[in-house]
Amino acid sequence: MRKVTGILAIVGVAVFIAGYVVTGEQNNTKTYVQENLLTIPPLIDSREVNNDIELVIQNGEHEFFSGIKSITKGFSQFYLGPTIRLYQGTQTRITYKNDIDDPITVHGHGLHVEGKVDGGPQSQILPTQRKSFLLPIVQEAGTSWYHPHLMGKTAEHVHAGLAGLYIIEDENSQTLPLPKNYGINDIPLVVQDRSFINGKMKPYTVTSEQMTDGLREETLVVNGTINPYHLVPAGWVRLRLLNGSNARFYRFFFADNAPFYKIATEGGFLNQPVTMTEITMAPGERNEIMIDLSNHTSLSLRAAFLPPDPEGESVIEALFSSDPSVQRVVDLRVDKALSAQGTLPDKLNEIDDYSQIDMRTAVRRTLTMNMANDNATVNPHNMFAINGQSMNMNVINVRVKKGDLELWTVTGDEMPHPFHVHGVSFQILTHNGEPPAEEDRGWKDTVVVTEEPTEILMRFHHTATQAFPFMYHCHILEHEDGGMMGQFTVLD
Ligand code: C2O
Ligand code: CU
Ligand code: CU
């Protein structure tokens, strides 16, 4: 894409128009000229509520388009849930009240907590039931998230709107001179794709082809907002990006390819900021990026929708591929009345480098995500597998000893799969057969794997028993629900 600057100007125009076009009825493109102020999920700071939080899992009616109600679900609101701020060294009690008709579980994706409070498929909360979980936070600062994890129903529940962010703070994050005003210059962006028919969100259904590719829809929704803009100060802005989609991969970039800085991966800050002009994110991944708006009046963040197999595609190739959508994530508009705060530090973290450890001490495991099961059956929850075995809640696939260095070599058949592990952050030793890129040398819990091997290194410090094991799985939610998941215990 570096060679085709001539095309950029033309593409810029196409993108501008695309930002205003939202697919309405299928085969019938409707144009919505309306823009919406970005919704910022309400913030619950655990310190301000005595470390005691209650969330109600409820049915809702959310207006993606004003005046048109869609049937949705949310945590104490109609769509998505509040952002919960937790602090290292504290314990917070979170109580869930289930007001929907399905049983539910609520998993803390990215949290380093024990299996019994991890919210895996075993931790059911039945309709009308209320259940509390005590979350002791020992991990470093980062952006995690919570979402349902009921066996076979995760995709449907997340799609309906059940997801929210955790922001974890520690001494380092509070001392660094970063932008810190939530919703003003520290902005959460939960990115999802949805289909709309006459302005109403299409409820979750999948064809068998969509089971295979994962459900990929046409319209970008950010924090539940369509075509959003947001007012920001004329200074540094920090964006916490979560790809909360069921299956869609995106390539994010700013208008005019303005450079930005990546400062954090899922599990914490990078050692130092990395300059980038585009960033690809798979479902489940989080990244924090920063951009300086002091010389701008506005700047638009955009997403190229990647097809199921985006290999080798740049933003421009993606534009002209079979799935050419580029849409606005958010238009950042400078408001001089807002006071700027924060800057980009040169140094952010000190990550101890696992690759320096003697690998002979590592416990090695090999995992392959399969698009078919060894003894394929017609059971939809048995379509996919890992190492030939579909997820079975009665089977423990892997037994880990607490504290051991684990080296997992992970591959995935046919298409890229975001591989996720519960209860830990890992480091990438090799990514698709190559050394990891500078911007991936941080703590992660989700990584895109292909047929080329990816090696990850980690140590598990939190207990997970046979009754409440941890999961590893593909974060394409259709694949997860279809059985591309396994269970492991962590014991002394
Ligand atoms: Cu985001 Cu097993 O989950
Ligand atoms: Cu998880
Ligand atoms: Cu997958």
Side-chain angles (χ1 to χ4, degrees):
M1 82 164 273
R2 278 110 210 136
K3 282 178 241 137
V4 281
T5 34
I7 301 174
L8 262 177
I10 304 161
V11 171
V13 175
V15 166
F16 182 76
I17 297 163
Y20 290 83
V21 176
V22 173
T23 310
E25 254 167 316
Q26 263 152 346
N27 309 317
N28 171 12
T29 303
K30 269 195 178 178
T31 306
Y32 294 92
V33 281
Q34 195 192 334
E35 328 175 85
N36 301 289
L37 194 61
L38 178 72
T39 301
I40 300 291
L43 179 70
I44 301 179
D45 189 304
S46 57
R47 273 189 195 163
E48 285 161 21
V49 293
N50 237 338
N51 295 305
D52 199 353
I53 294 166
E54 177 162 317
L55 296 177
V56 181
I57 296 142
Q58 59 183 39
N59 293 308
E61 288 183 319
H62 179 68
E63 292 188 16
F64 292 95
F65 294 96
S66 65
I68 308 173
K69 290 187 159 82
S70 294
I71 310 259
T72 53
K73 290 183 173 40
F75 290 94
S76 300
Q77 47 181 34
F78 285 167
Y79 190 79
L80 300 179
T83 298
I84 298 175
R85 188 183 271 160
L86 302 171
Y87 295 85
Q88 189 188 53
T90 65
Q91 301 194 57
T92 298
R93 188 172 73 150
I94 305 193
T95 304
Y96 299 104
K97 166 86 194 329
N98 183 359
D99 274 357
I100 64 168
D101 297 331
D102 280 337
I104 197 117
T105 85
V106 187
H107 165 56
H109 178 140
L111 295 193
H112 300 184
V113 293
E114 291 194 3
K116 63 175 197 282
V117 294
D118 175 65
Q122 283 79 2
S123 301
Q124 287 198 19
I125 309 161
L126 299 174
T128 74
Q129 218 182 11
R130 178 184 254 118
K131 244 190 201 173
S132 298
F133 297 85
L134 195 61
L135 302 178
I137 300 303
V138 296
Q139 71 203 83
E140 63 184 70
T143 308
S144 289
W145 62 305
Y146 55 94
H147 65 74
H149 219 299
L150 187 69
M151 184 63 202
K153 278 228 168 190
T154 297
E156 181 185 330
H157 285 157
V158 173
H159 188 274
L162 292 171
L165 289 175
Y166 283 125
I167 291 179
I168 294 166
E169 302 284 3
D170 64 8
E171 224 184 274
N172 183 34
S173 69
Q174 292 171 282
T175 314
L176 286 168
L178 294 163
K180 291 183 180 135
N181 297 327
Y182 178 79
I184 309 228
N185 61 11
D186 178 358
I187 303 160
L189 297 171
V190 180
V191 180
Q192 300 173 310
D193 55 335
R194 294 290 182 268
S195 300
F196 292 89
I197 298 173
N198 294 325
K200 282 194 186 183
M201 185 179 95
K202 195 169 158 229
Y204 186 77
T205 48
V206 274
T207 61
S208 65
E209 195 191 327
Q210 285 166 333
M211 265 313 270
T212 304
D213 284 353
L215 181 64
R216 292 167 202 250
E217 299 181 283
E218 309 79 39
T219 303
L220 202 71
V221 176
V222 181
N223 300 348
T225 322
I226 286 173
N227 204 24
Y229 69 96
H230 191 65
L231 301 178
V232 294
W236 284 99
V237 170
R238 172 182 185 182
L239 304 174
R240 296 179 191 256
L241 284 161
L242 160 67
N243 183 347
S245 306
N246 282 37
R248 177 74 69 185
F249 291 45
Y250 305 97
R251 187 157 292 153
F252 297 105
F253 61 102
F254 284 95
D256 304 324
N257 273 321
F260 58 88
Y261 299 86
K262 176 165 160 179
I263 59 165
T265 48
E266 285 92 53
F269 292 114
L270 294 166
N271 280 336
Q272 57 272 318
V274 177
T275 315
M276 302 178 78
T277 53
E278 54 176 60
I279 186 168
T280 299
M281 286 178 67
E285 286 189 302
R286 287 92 65 211
N287 285 299
E288 288 182 41
I289 62 172
M290 278 177 62
I291 188 144
D292 184 5
L293 280 134
S294 45
N295 292 316
H296 290 270
T297 50
S298 75
L299 194 58
S300 202
L301 178 65
R302 291 168 180 153
F305 281 39
L306 300 183
D309 188 351
E311 219 166 306
E313 291 204 28
S314 69
V315 170
I316 287 174
E317 283 164 327
L319 260 178
F320 296 107
S321 77
S322 56
D323 202 348
S325 185
V326 170
Q327 290 180 37
R328 178 198 288 186
V329 178
V330 63
D331 197 27
L332 301 171
R333 292 188 191 154
V334 170
D335 179 350
K336 293 259 169 16
L338 297 168
S339 56
Q341 169 271 326
T343 185
L344 182 72
D346 302 331
K347 188 163 170 28
L348 297 159
N349 205 356
E350 213 159 313
I351 299 173
D352 58 331
D353 186 355
Y354 279 7
S355 68
Q356 297 311 308
I357 302 170
D358 184 353
M359 292 302 151
R360 284 172 302 185
T361 65
V363 179
R364 288 166 192 262
R365 305 179 200 274
T366 306
L367 298 171
T368 302
M369 289 187 268
N370 315 119
M371 291 299 281
N373 179 344
D374 265 358
N375 32 12
T377 62
V378 282
N379 179 348
H381 302 313
N382 231 350
M383 275 174 75
F384 309 118
I386 295 180
N387 289 353
Q389 292 177 300
S390 286
M391 165 73 177
N392 180 340
M393 283 179 68
N394 301 314
V395 174
I396 298 296
N397 304 88
V398 167
R399 287 164 208 276
V400 170
K401 191 163 175 295
K402 201 187 274 181
D404 277 355
L405 181 71
E406 295 266 333
L407 197 176
W408 293 10
T409 304
V410 192
T411 54
D413 293 345
E414 286 175 47
M415 57 190 275
H417 302 268
F419 179 74
H420 167 55
V421 190
H422 286 207
V424 79
S425 297
F426 55 72
Q427 290 183 14
I428 301 173
L429 186 61
T430 55
H431 195 198
N432 302 320
E434 315 258 350
E438 191 60 34
E439 66 271 18
D440 292 327
R441 293 175 194 264
W443 294 115
K444 291 191 55 76
D445 60 49
T446 308
V447 63
V448 176
V449 307
T450 63
E451 288 172 348
E452 299 297 328
T454 291
E455 295 174 295
I456 58 172
L457 284 165
M458 60 219 152
R459 285 185 201 276
F460 294 91
H461 295 295
H462 298 270
T463 302
T465 60
Q466 185 143 348
F468 295 103
F470 286 138
M471 308 290 132
Y472 53 81
H473 59 89
C474 177
H475 222 285
I476 291 177
L477 300 181
E478 284 69 31
H479 291 180
E480 174 186 338
D481 280 347
M484 201 180 279
M485 175 154 69
Q487 310 194 104
F488 65 103
T489 54
V490 177
L491 295 168
D492 284 314

PDB file of all heavy atoms in Angstrom, residues 211-214 216 249 369-371 384-385 412-413 415-419 449 473-480 484, ligand 3:
ATOM      1  N   MET A 211     -21.754 -20.221  10.167  1.00  0.00           N
ATOM      2  CA  MET A 211     -21.092 -20.984  11.235  1.00  0.00           C
ATOM      3  C   MET A 211     -19.628 -21.177  10.847  1.00  0.00           C
ATOM      4  O   MET A 211     -18.731 -21.028  11.667  1.00  0.00           O
ATOM      5  CB  MET A 211     -21.742 -22.363  11.411  1.00  0.00           C
ATOM      6  CG  MET A 211     -22.821 -22.496  12.471  1.00  0.00           C
ATOM      7  SD  MET A 211     -22.488 -21.799  14.096  1.00  0.00           S
ATOM      8  CE  MET A 211     -21.711 -23.175  14.959  1.00  0.00           C
ATOM      9  N   THR A 212     -19.384 -21.504   9.604  1.00  0.00           N
ATOM     10  CA  THR A 212     -18.023 -21.782   9.139  1.00  0.00           C
ATOM     11  C   THR A 212     -17.160 -20.523   9.127  1.00  0.00           C
ATOM     12  O   THR A 212     -16.061 -20.508   9.687  1.00  0.00           O
ATOM     13  CB  THR A 212     -18.069 -22.394   7.725  1.00  0.00           C
ATOM     14  OG1 THR A 212     -18.893 -23.555   7.787  1.00  0.00           O
ATOM     15  CG2 THR A 212     -16.687 -22.779   7.245  1.00  0.00           C
ATOM     16  N   ASP A 213     -17.662 -19.450   8.516  1.00  0.00           N
ATOM     17  CA  ASP A 213     -16.878 -18.206   8.433  1.00  0.00           C
ATOM     18  C   ASP A 213     -16.947 -17.397   9.725  1.00  0.00           C
ATOM     19  O   ASP A 213     -16.123 -16.523   9.956  1.00  0.00           O
ATOM     20  CB  ASP A 213     -17.431 -17.305   7.320  1.00  0.00           C
ATOM     21  CG  ASP A 213     -17.017 -17.802   5.944  1.00  0.00           C
ATOM     22  OD1 ASP A 213     -16.207 -18.746   5.861  1.00  0.00           O
ATOM     23  OD2 ASP A 213     -17.510 -17.239   4.950  1.00  0.00           O
ATOM     24  N   GLY A 214     -17.952 -17.645  10.539  1.00  0.00           N
ATOM     25  CA  GLY A 214     -18.282 -16.772  11.650  1.00  0.00           C
ATOM     26  C   GLY A 214     -19.249 -15.720  11.142  1.00  0.00           C
ATOM     27  O   GLY A 214     -19.210 -15.355   9.962  1.00  0.00           O
ATOM     28  N   ARG A 216     -20.479 -12.468  10.067  1.00  0.00           N
ATOM     29  CA  ARG A 216     -19.876 -11.183   9.678  1.00  0.00           C
ATOM     30  C   ARG A 216     -20.970 -10.323   9.070  1.00  0.00           C
ATOM     31  O   ARG A 216     -21.576 -10.704   8.075  1.00  0.00           O
ATOM     32  CB  ARG A 216     -18.733 -11.416   8.689  1.00  0.00           C
ATOM     33  CG  ARG A 216     -17.564 -12.131   9.381  1.00  0.00           C
ATOM     34  CD  ARG A 216     -16.542 -12.682   8.441  1.00  0.00           C
ATOM     35  NE  ARG A 216     -15.789 -13.741   9.102  1.00  0.00           N
ATOM     36  CZ  ARG A 216     -14.499 -13.647   9.477  1.00  0.00           C
ATOM     37  NH1 ARG A 216     -13.816 -12.566   9.241  1.00  0.00           N
ATOM     38  NH2 ARG A 216     -13.915 -14.656  10.101  1.00  0.00           N
ATOM     39  N   PHE A 249     -12.825  -9.369  11.597  1.00  0.00           N
ATOM     40  CA  PHE A 249     -11.514  -8.753  11.821  1.00  0.00           C
ATOM     41  C   PHE A 249     -11.565  -7.377  11.151  1.00  0.00           C
ATOM     42  O   PHE A 249     -12.150  -7.230  10.086  1.00  0.00           O
ATOM     43  CB  PHE A 249     -10.394  -9.540  11.140  1.00  0.00           C
ATOM     44  CG  PHE A 249     -10.077 -10.895  11.718  1.00  0.00           C
ATOM     45  CD1 PHE A 249     -11.063 -11.809  12.054  1.00  0.00           C
ATOM     46  CD2 PHE A 249      -8.753 -11.284  11.883  1.00  0.00           C
ATOM     47  CE1 PHE A 249     -10.742 -13.068  12.552  1.00  0.00           C
ATOM     48  CE2 PHE A 249      -8.428 -12.543  12.388  1.00  0.00           C
ATOM     49  CZ  PHE A 249      -9.425 -13.439  12.727  1.00  0.00           C
ATOM     50  N   MET A 369      -6.389 -25.860  15.943  1.00  0.00           N
ATOM     51  CA  MET A 369      -7.826 -25.588  15.851  1.00  0.00           C
ATOM     52  C   MET A 369      -8.346 -26.151  14.536  1.00  0.00           C
ATOM     53  O   MET A 369      -7.860 -25.770  13.464  1.00  0.00           O
ATOM     54  CB  MET A 369      -8.081 -24.093  15.977  1.00  0.00           C
ATOM     55  CG  MET A 369      -7.815 -23.641  17.405  1.00  0.00           C
ATOM     56  SD  MET A 369      -8.281 -21.946  17.679  1.00  0.00           S
ATOM     57  CE  MET A 369      -6.717 -21.199  17.313  1.00  0.00           C
ATOM     58  N   ASN A 370      -9.295 -27.057  14.647  1.00  0.00           N
ATOM     59  CA  ASN A 370      -9.779 -27.780  13.468  1.00  0.00           C
ATOM     60  C   ASN A 370     -11.149 -27.285  13.023  1.00  0.00           C
ATOM     61  O   ASN A 370     -12.028 -27.053  13.840  1.00  0.00           O
ATOM     62  CB  ASN A 370      -9.919 -29.283  13.759  1.00  0.00           C
ATOM     63  CG  ASN A 370      -8.722 -29.862  14.512  1.00  0.00           C
ATOM     64  OD1 ASN A 370      -8.861 -30.366  15.629  1.00  0.00           O
ATOM     65  ND2 ASN A 370      -7.549 -29.760  13.912  1.00  0.00           N
ATOM     66  N   MET A 371     -11.306 -27.156  11.702  1.00  0.00           N
ATOM     67  CA  MET A 371     -12.592 -26.756  11.132  1.00  0.00           C
ATOM     68  C   MET A 371     -13.536 -27.944  10.998  1.00  0.00           C
ATOM     69  O   MET A 371     -14.665 -27.799  10.534  1.00  0.00           O
ATOM     70  CB  MET A 371     -12.384 -26.099   9.773  1.00  0.00           C
ATOM     71  CG  MET A 371     -11.694 -24.745   9.870  1.00  0.00           C
ATOM     72  SD  MET A 371     -12.632 -23.541  10.829  1.00  0.00           S
ATOM     73  CE  MET A 371     -13.849 -23.065   9.595  1.00  0.00           C
ATOM     74  N   PHE A 384     -16.763 -28.195  15.264  1.00  0.00           N
ATOM     75  CA  PHE A 384     -15.349 -27.816  15.248  1.00  0.00           C
ATOM     76  C   PHE A 384     -14.636 -28.485  16.415  1.00  0.00           C
ATOM     77  O   PHE A 384     -15.275 -29.072  17.286  1.00  0.00           O
ATOM     78  CB  PHE A 384     -15.211 -26.296  15.338  1.00  0.00           C
ATOM     79  CG  PHE A 384     -16.043 -25.560  14.329  1.00  0.00           C
ATOM     80  CD1 PHE A 384     -17.045 -24.687  14.737  1.00  0.00           C
ATOM     81  CD2 PHE A 384     -15.820 -25.731  12.966  1.00  0.00           C
ATOM     82  CE1 PHE A 384     -17.816 -24.003  13.809  1.00  0.00           C
ATOM     83  CE2 PHE A 384     -16.587 -25.047  12.035  1.00  0.00           C
ATOM     84  CZ  PHE A 384     -17.588 -24.174  12.456  1.00  0.00           C
ATOM     85  N   ALA A 385     -13.328 -28.364  16.416  1.00  0.00           N
ATOM     86  CA  ALA A 385     -12.565 -29.079  17.435  1.00  0.00           C
ATOM     87  C   ALA A 385     -11.213 -28.430  17.668  1.00  0.00           C
ATOM     88  O   ALA A 385     -10.801 -27.520  16.932  1.00  0.00           O
ATOM     89  CB  ALA A 385     -12.374 -30.520  16.997  1.00  0.00           C
ATOM     90  N   GLY A 412      -3.990 -23.123  13.338  1.00  0.00           N
ATOM     91  CA  GLY A 412      -5.415 -23.179  13.048  1.00  0.00           C
ATOM     92  C   GLY A 412      -5.618 -23.531  11.588  1.00  0.00           C
ATOM     93  O   GLY A 412      -4.899 -23.026  10.725  1.00  0.00           O
ATOM     94  N   ASP A 413      -6.569 -24.365  11.322  1.00  0.00           N
ATOM     95  CA  ASP A 413      -6.825 -24.819   9.954  1.00  0.00           C
ATOM     96  C   ASP A 413      -7.607 -23.782   9.149  1.00  0.00           C
ATOM     97  O   ASP A 413      -8.474 -23.088   9.683  1.00  0.00           O
ATOM     98  CB  ASP A 413      -7.658 -26.115   9.964  1.00  0.00           C
ATOM     99  CG  ASP A 413      -6.871 -27.293  10.545  1.00  0.00           C
ATOM    100  OD1 ASP A 413      -5.641 -27.176  10.668  1.00  0.00           O
ATOM    101  OD2 ASP A 413      -7.523 -28.313  10.873  1.00  0.00           O
ATOM    102  N   MET A 415      -8.322 -20.936   8.035  1.00  0.00           N
ATOM    103  CA  MET A 415      -8.474 -19.479   8.095  1.00  0.00           C
ATOM    104  C   MET A 415      -7.839 -18.975   9.388  1.00  0.00           C
ATOM    105  O   MET A 415      -7.548 -19.773  10.271  1.00  0.00           O
ATOM    106  CB  MET A 415      -9.962 -19.113   8.038  1.00  0.00           C
ATOM    107  CG  MET A 415     -10.801 -19.748   9.136  1.00  0.00           C
ATOM    108  SD  MET A 415     -12.572 -19.531   8.890  1.00  0.00           S
ATOM    109  CE  MET A 415     -12.802 -17.927   9.612  1.00  0.00           C
ATOM    110  N   PRO A 416      -7.610 -17.675   9.514  1.00  0.00           N
ATOM    111  CA  PRO A 416      -7.054 -17.171  10.777  1.00  0.00           C
ATOM    112  C   PRO A 416      -8.067 -17.318  11.915  1.00  0.00           C
ATOM    113  O   PRO A 416      -9.258 -17.043  11.722  1.00  0.00           O
ATOM    114  CB  PRO A 416      -6.785 -15.691  10.488  1.00  0.00           C
ATOM    115  CG  PRO A 416      -6.917 -15.519   9.018  1.00  0.00           C
ATOM    116  CD  PRO A 416      -7.816 -16.600   8.523  1.00  0.00           C
ATOM    117  N   HIS A 417      -7.599 -17.758  13.068  1.00  0.00           N
ATOM    118  CA  HIS A 417      -8.449 -17.946  14.251  1.00  0.00           C
ATOM    119  C   HIS A 417      -7.831 -17.189  15.431  1.00  0.00           C
ATOM    120  O   HIS A 417      -6.658 -17.389  15.723  1.00  0.00           O
ATOM    121  CB  HIS A 417      -8.527 -19.422  14.644  1.00  0.00           C
ATOM    122  CG  HIS A 417      -9.047 -20.332  13.584  1.00  0.00           C
ATOM    123  ND1 HIS A 417     -10.374 -20.665  13.460  1.00  0.00           N
ATOM    124  CD2 HIS A 417      -8.407 -20.988  12.584  1.00  0.00           C
ATOM    125  CE1 HIS A 417     -10.531 -21.489  12.442  1.00  0.00           C
ATOM    126  NE2 HIS A 417      -9.356 -21.700  11.875  1.00  0.00           N
ATOM    127  N   PRO A 418      -8.615 -16.349  16.114  1.00  0.00           N
ATOM    128  CA  PRO A 418      -8.084 -15.698  17.321  1.00  0.00           C
ATOM    129  C   PRO A 418      -8.104 -16.681  18.505  1.00  0.00           C
ATOM    130  O   PRO A 418      -9.169 -17.019  19.010  1.00  0.00           O
ATOM    131  CB  PRO A 418      -9.037 -14.525  17.555  1.00  0.00           C
ATOM    132  CG  PRO A 418     -10.234 -14.759  16.691  1.00  0.00           C
ATOM    133  CD  PRO A 418      -9.957 -15.883  15.743  1.00  0.00           C
ATOM    134  N   PHE A 419      -6.930 -17.111  18.928  1.00  0.00           N
ATOM    135  CA  PHE A 419      -6.814 -18.091  20.002  1.00  0.00           C
ATOM    136  C   PHE A 419      -6.727 -17.361  21.337  1.00  0.00           C
ATOM    137  O   PHE A 419      -5.894 -16.476  21.522  1.00  0.00           O
ATOM    138  CB  PHE A 419      -5.553 -18.943  19.779  1.00  0.00           C
ATOM    139  CG  PHE A 419      -5.326 -19.979  20.845  1.00  0.00           C
ATOM    140  CD1 PHE A 419      -6.107 -21.131  20.892  1.00  0.00           C
ATOM    141  CD2 PHE A 419      -4.327 -19.812  21.804  1.00  0.00           C
ATOM    142  CE1 PHE A 419      -5.902 -22.092  21.882  1.00  0.00           C
ATOM    143  CE2 PHE A 419      -4.118 -20.768  22.788  1.00  0.00           C
ATOM    144  CZ  PHE A 419      -4.904 -21.914  22.831  1.00  0.00           C
ATOM    145  N   VAL A 449      -3.931 -16.909  15.041  1.00  0.00           N
ATOM    146  CA  VAL A 449      -3.062 -17.988  14.558  1.00  0.00           C
ATOM    147  C   VAL A 449      -3.517 -18.466  13.188  1.00  0.00           C
ATOM    148  O   VAL A 449      -4.688 -18.315  12.815  1.00  0.00           O
ATOM    149  CB  VAL A 449      -2.980 -19.176  15.553  1.00  0.00           C
ATOM    150  CG1 VAL A 449      -2.597 -18.713  16.940  1.00  0.00           C
ATOM    151  CG2 VAL A 449      -4.270 -19.958  15.584  1.00  0.00           C
ATOM    152  N   HIS A 473      -9.784 -21.270  23.643  1.00  0.00           N
ATOM    153  CA  HIS A 473     -10.713 -21.427  22.513  1.00  0.00           C
ATOM    154  C   HIS A 473     -10.483 -20.400  21.431  1.00  0.00           C
ATOM    155  O   HIS A 473      -9.761 -19.417  21.627  1.00  0.00           O
ATOM    156  CB  HIS A 473     -12.173 -21.345  23.007  1.00  0.00           C
ATOM    157  CG  HIS A 473     -12.550 -20.062  23.711  1.00  0.00           C
ATOM    158  ND1 HIS A 473     -13.027 -18.961  23.045  1.00  0.00           N
ATOM    159  CD2 HIS A 473     -12.515 -19.716  25.024  1.00  0.00           C
ATOM    160  CE1 HIS A 473     -13.278 -18.002  23.936  1.00  0.00           C
ATOM    161  NE2 HIS A 473     -12.968 -18.430  25.141  1.00  0.00           N
ATOM    162  N   CYS A 474     -11.139 -20.640  20.301  1.00  0.00           N
ATOM    163  CA  CYS A 474     -11.164 -19.654  19.231  1.00  0.00           C
ATOM    164  C   CYS A 474     -12.172 -18.582  19.628  1.00  0.00           C
ATOM    165  O   CYS A 474     -13.264 -18.885  20.087  1.00  0.00           O
ATOM    166  CB  CYS A 474     -11.588 -20.304  17.924  1.00  0.00           C
ATOM    167  SG  CYS A 474     -11.729 -19.092  16.588  1.00  0.00           S
ATOM    168  N   HIS A 475     -11.804 -17.293  19.449  1.00  0.00           N
ATOM    169  CA  HIS A 475     -12.735 -16.221  19.828  1.00  0.00           C
ATOM    170  C   HIS A 475     -13.645 -15.784  18.684  1.00  0.00           C
ATOM    171  O   HIS A 475     -14.359 -14.777  18.800  1.00  0.00           O
ATOM    172  CB  HIS A 475     -12.015 -15.025  20.466  1.00  0.00           C
ATOM    173  CG  HIS A 475     -12.749 -14.484  21.654  1.00  0.00           C
ATOM    174  ND1 HIS A 475     -13.898 -13.726  21.535  1.00  0.00           N
ATOM    175  CD2 HIS A 475     -12.539 -14.635  22.977  1.00  0.00           C
ATOM    176  CE1 HIS A 475     -14.326 -13.407  22.745  1.00  0.00           C
ATOM    177  NE2 HIS A 475     -13.526 -13.953  23.641  1.00  0.00           N
ATOM    178  N   ILE A 476     -13.647 -16.517  17.565  1.00  0.00           N
ATOM    179  CA  ILE A 476     -14.767 -16.384  16.628  1.00  0.00           C
ATOM    180  C   ILE A 476     -15.893 -17.119  17.343  1.00  0.00           C
ATOM    181  O   ILE A 476     -15.811 -18.332  17.586  1.00  0.00           O
ATOM    182  CB  ILE A 476     -14.431 -17.007  15.265  1.00  0.00           C
ATOM    183  CG1 ILE A 476     -13.352 -16.149  14.572  1.00  0.00           C
ATOM    184  CG2 ILE A 476     -15.694 -17.129  14.390  1.00  0.00           C
ATOM    185  CD1 ILE A 476     -12.877 -16.680  13.240  1.00  0.00           C
ATOM    186  N   LEU A 477     -16.914 -16.381  17.767  1.00  0.00           N
ATOM    187  CA  LEU A 477     -17.868 -16.966  18.722  1.00  0.00           C
ATOM    188  C   LEU A 477     -18.647 -18.137  18.133  1.00  0.00           C
ATOM    189  O   LEU A 477     -19.037 -19.050  18.854  1.00  0.00           O
ATOM    190  CB  LEU A 477     -18.807 -15.888  19.264  1.00  0.00           C
ATOM    191  CG  LEU A 477     -18.088 -14.741  20.000  1.00  0.00           C
ATOM    192  CD1 LEU A 477     -19.103 -13.730  20.528  1.00  0.00           C
ATOM    193  CD2 LEU A 477     -17.219 -15.258  21.143  1.00  0.00           C
ATOM    194  N   GLU A 478     -18.841 -18.137  16.818  1.00  0.00           N
ATOM    195  CA  GLU A 478     -19.502 -19.278  16.170  1.00  0.00           C
ATOM    196  C   GLU A 478     -18.612 -20.521  16.285  1.00  0.00           C
ATOM    197  O   GLU A 478     -19.111 -21.623  16.459  1.00  0.00           O
ATOM    198  CB  GLU A 478     -19.814 -18.970  14.705  1.00  0.00           C
ATOM    199  CG  GLU A 478     -21.012 -18.033  14.502  1.00  0.00           C
ATOM    200  CD  GLU A 478     -20.781 -16.604  14.957  1.00  0.00           C
ATOM    201  OE1 GLU A 478     -19.618 -16.138  14.883  1.00  0.00           O
ATOM    202  OE2 GLU A 478     -21.745 -15.951  15.413  1.00  0.00           O
ATOM    203  N   HIS A 479     -17.304 -20.326  16.164  1.00  0.00           N
ATOM    204  CA  HIS A 479     -16.392 -21.471  16.302  1.00  0.00           C
ATOM    205  C   HIS A 479     -16.371 -21.976  17.744  1.00  0.00           C
ATOM    206  O   HIS A 479     -16.383 -23.182  17.996  1.00  0.00           O
ATOM    207  CB  HIS A 479     -14.980 -21.085  15.857  1.00  0.00           C
ATOM    208  CG  HIS A 479     -14.858 -20.845  14.382  1.00  0.00           C
ATOM    209  ND1 HIS A 479     -13.675 -20.497  13.780  1.00  0.00           N
ATOM    210  CD2 HIS A 479     -15.783 -20.904  13.384  1.00  0.00           C
ATOM    211  CE1 HIS A 479     -13.873 -20.350  12.472  1.00  0.00           C
ATOM    212  NE2 HIS A 479     -15.150 -20.578  12.222  1.00  0.00           N
ATOM    213  N   GLU A 480     -16.339 -21.028  18.667  1.00  0.00           N
ATOM    214  CA  GLU A 480     -16.354 -21.404  20.087  1.00  0.00           C
ATOM    215  C   GLU A 480     -17.616 -22.223  20.404  1.00  0.00           C
ATOM    216  O   GLU A 480     -17.533 -23.319  20.954  1.00  0.00           O
ATOM    217  CB  GLU A 480     -16.307 -20.143  20.954  1.00  0.00           C
ATOM    218  CG  GLU A 480     -16.462 -20.419  22.437  1.00  0.00           C
ATOM    219  CD  GLU A 480     -16.559 -19.152  23.289  1.00  0.00           C
ATOM    220  OE1 GLU A 480     -16.112 -18.085  22.834  1.00  0.00           O
ATOM    221  OE2 GLU A 480     -17.070 -19.249  24.414  1.00  0.00           O
ATOM    222  N   MET A 484     -14.926 -25.403  19.152  1.00  0.00           N
ATOM    223  CA  MET A 484     -13.486 -25.141  19.019  1.00  0.00           C
ATOM    224  C   MET A 484     -12.981 -24.571  20.349  1.00  0.00           C
ATOM    225  O   MET A 484     -12.582 -23.403  20.463  1.00  0.00           O
ATOM    226  CB  MET A 484     -13.243 -24.156  17.869  1.00  0.00           C
ATOM    227  CG  MET A 484     -11.836 -24.168  17.304  1.00  0.00           C
ATOM    228  SD  MET A 484     -11.642 -22.989  15.957  1.00  0.00           S
ATOM    229  CE  MET A 484     -12.331 -23.859  14.565  1.00  0.00           C
TER     230      MET A 484
HETATM  231 CU    CU B   3     -11.899 -20.105  14.684  1.00  0.00          CU
END
